[in-house]
Amino acid sequence: MSRTDSDRTAALELLTQFQHQILPGALRRVATWKSIPHRLLQEWLDDVVQELAVDCLQHANVIVRLPERQRHARWMRRAEAVIYHLRRHLSKLATSVDEPAVASWRHEPQPDVHLPALVALSNGRPNVLASIRQSGQARRHLRQQLDDLAAQLGWDGQLEFWQARVVEALTGLAADLLLEQHGIVPVSALPLPAPERRRARLRRLGERFPVQPSTRVIRSVLRPWIRRNKHRELGARSLLEQAVALGPASGAAWLWLFEACCQERDAPGAMRAIWQARRCQGVCRATVVLARARVFELRGRFGTGIKLLRRVRRRWPREHSIGAAIAIATNDAR
């Protein structure tokens, strides 16, 4: 195992301890302070852990050398940033869902969609099948009308929110599978990764998407978890390819796809993944450079990769991760 891999293993083990000893209590305090419902906090916990795991993989050499207090402070700042962005995105969705029904209908023409009278269930939700029988319309036509109405009212933003959560869950499950294939075993009794928890989350997310034409693609992706024992689970790379197809702006999904391609010694696929990742927000330039050097190594051009790192080191002298990678590569070469 190279020094980089050992640093990543050590960083993930430190994260496991932090996840089970420090993070739950800290997030409860944040939830109390920000008035976040417990159910919502549990859903966001996976997002926080995933962000911290990406940090471990990208900056392993920095994390393992930090004092415990500074390391915990670093992770708490990242956790609070994730919760802040999720709360902000959720508030935007609430505005987009609530405002059109009141404000936009006053000043703009009403949507040009004419629905038949809908039959309601006892809980208030519309009974689509009974409505179809009563109206005499085809099922596909009525569902398309409902989709058009939701889009015109601006309510389709909620679909985008939950689709982003599916992308994150697929990425997390694939990352867990990749880490298991590497044989990474944390020192604590509670193991990380935890693919079963990821699968359970995907099953819960499958309930968020009604049977409509606009959700056909996402429901097809979630079908292996909604209908268990009927579909064989895909491998890590296939899961990541689904994730980037659903969320092409997810830098984490592209970076993990890069890792999957490297495991399969697929240098062209790894290069395509890293070039897509560099277009995403939150992917630092040093990560892209290190990935390019790794692709050179996959292609048997180890010396060219070191030359690239040294050239970038002269251009960006403050990128300490580049200098650490040069030192590790030089020791390996010796």
Side-chain angles (χ1 to χ4, degrees):
M1 180 182 292
S2 67
R3 184 175 176 182
T4 302
D5 290 338
S6 63
D7 284 348
R8 288 176 177 172
T9 303
L12 289 170
E13 291 173 351
L14 292 170
L15 175 60
T16 303
Q17 299 174 13
F18 176 79
Q19 176 186 350
H20 298 294
Q21 298 175 9
I22 307 296
L23 186 61
L27 291 185
R28 281 195 299 270
R29 289 191 292 272
V30 172
T32 302
W33 180 35
K34 299 291 186 180
S35 300
I36 301 173
H38 178 73
R39 175 190 58 79
L40 200 57
L41 186 67
Q42 288 299 112
E43 292 182 1
W44 289 352
L45 178 61
D46 291 330
D47 300 297
V48 172
V49 174
Q50 178 174 298
E51 176 65 23
L52 299 184
V54 171
D55 185 41
C56 288
L57 294 174
Q58 291 180 346
H59 308 103
N61 59 325
V62 176
I63 290 173
V64 296
R65 289 163 180 77
L66 283 176
E68 183 179 46
R69 183 180 294 273
Q70 295 183 21
R71 184 170 61 250
H72 289 177
R74 172 195 180 99
W75 283 339
M76 279 309 307
R77 287 194 300 269
R78 287 181 172 265
E80 291 174 0
V82 171
I83 291 176
Y84 169 78
H85 288 297
L86 288 172
R87 288 182 70 239
R88 186 177 179 184
H89 187 66
L90 194 61
S91 65
K92 288 182 179 179
L93 289 178
T95 301
S96 67
V97 169
D98 295 337
E99 287 184 352
V102 178
S104 64
W105 281 18
R106 293 175 183 169
H107 307 291
E108 299 177 4
Q110 293 191 6
D112 187 19
V113 177
H114 304 285
L115 292 174
L118 297 179
V119 179
L121 297 169
S122 58
N123 60 5
R125 296 177 60 187
N127 187 329
V128 177
L129 290 178
S131 302
I132 291 170
R133 297 191 192 100
Q134 179 174 291
S135 65
Q137 295 187 16
R139 178 185 303 185
R140 176 173 297 181
H141 180 63
L142 180 58
R143 291 193 185 279
Q144 187 61 55
Q145 284 185 301
L146 293 172
D147 283 352
D148 293 342
L149 179 62
Q152 291 185 37
L153 294 176
W155 295 349
D156 53 344
Q158 189 172 9
L159 176 62
E160 296 176 2
F161 175 82
W162 289 113
Q163 183 164 316
R165 304 287 78 76
V166 171
V167 171
E168 293 164 357
L170 288 171
T171 303
L173 176 59
D176 285 352
L177 295 177
L178 287 172
L179 293 173
E180 282 187 338
Q181 291 170 10
H182 273 131
I184 299 175
V185 180
V187 295
S188 61
L190 296 174
L192 182 79
E196 283 302 323
R197 189 178 61 173
R198 307 284 192 186
R199 296 185 182 101
R201 189 183 185 205
L202 285 166
R203 286 194 291 272
R204 293 196 302 271
L205 287 171
E207 301 172 359
R208 299 285 182 176
F209 300 94
V211 180
Q212 294 176 0
S214 59
T215 63
R216 184 178 296 112
V217 175
I218 188 69
R219 285 186 290 108
S220 175
V221 171
L222 291 171
R223 190 170 295 121
W225 291 274
I226 298 174
R227 300 179 179 178
R228 287 176 290 179
N229 302 325
K230 292 187 178 182
H231 295 270
R232 181 176 59 86
E233 183 175 298
L234 300 175
R237 179 168 179 174
S238 297
L239 292 172
L240 290 166
E241 288 171 347
Q242 289 183 339
V244 296
L246 291 173
S250 173
W254 284 113
L255 290 173
W256 278 109
L257 181 57
F258 167 80
E259 292 287 343
C261 292
C262 288
Q263 275 200 10
E264 297 179 4
R265 311 294 296 178
D266 180 7
M271 200 65 197
R272 284 193 299 270
I274 200 60
W275 280 111
Q276 292 291 339
R278 68 191 289 268
R279 302 177 182 177
C280 303
Q281 292 184 353
V283 177
C284 66
R285 59 187 184 181
T287 300
V288 175
V289 172
L290 292 172
R292 289 176 58 196
R294 190 171 174 189
V295 172
F296 279 124
E297 181 184 1
L298 286 176
R299 289 173 170 167
R301 300 169 60 187
F302 187 75
T304 305
I306 294 181
K307 289 180 181 178
L308 170 65
L309 295 176
R310 287 173 177 167
R311 186 169 63 250
V312 173
R313 174 66 169 171
R314 291 193 296 270
R315 188 186 308 168
W316 303 332
R318 295 186 179 180
E319 289 287 355
H320 301 295
S321 58
I322 302 293
I326 292 173
I328 295 171
T330 303
N331 291 334
D332 290 345
R334 291 174 181 172

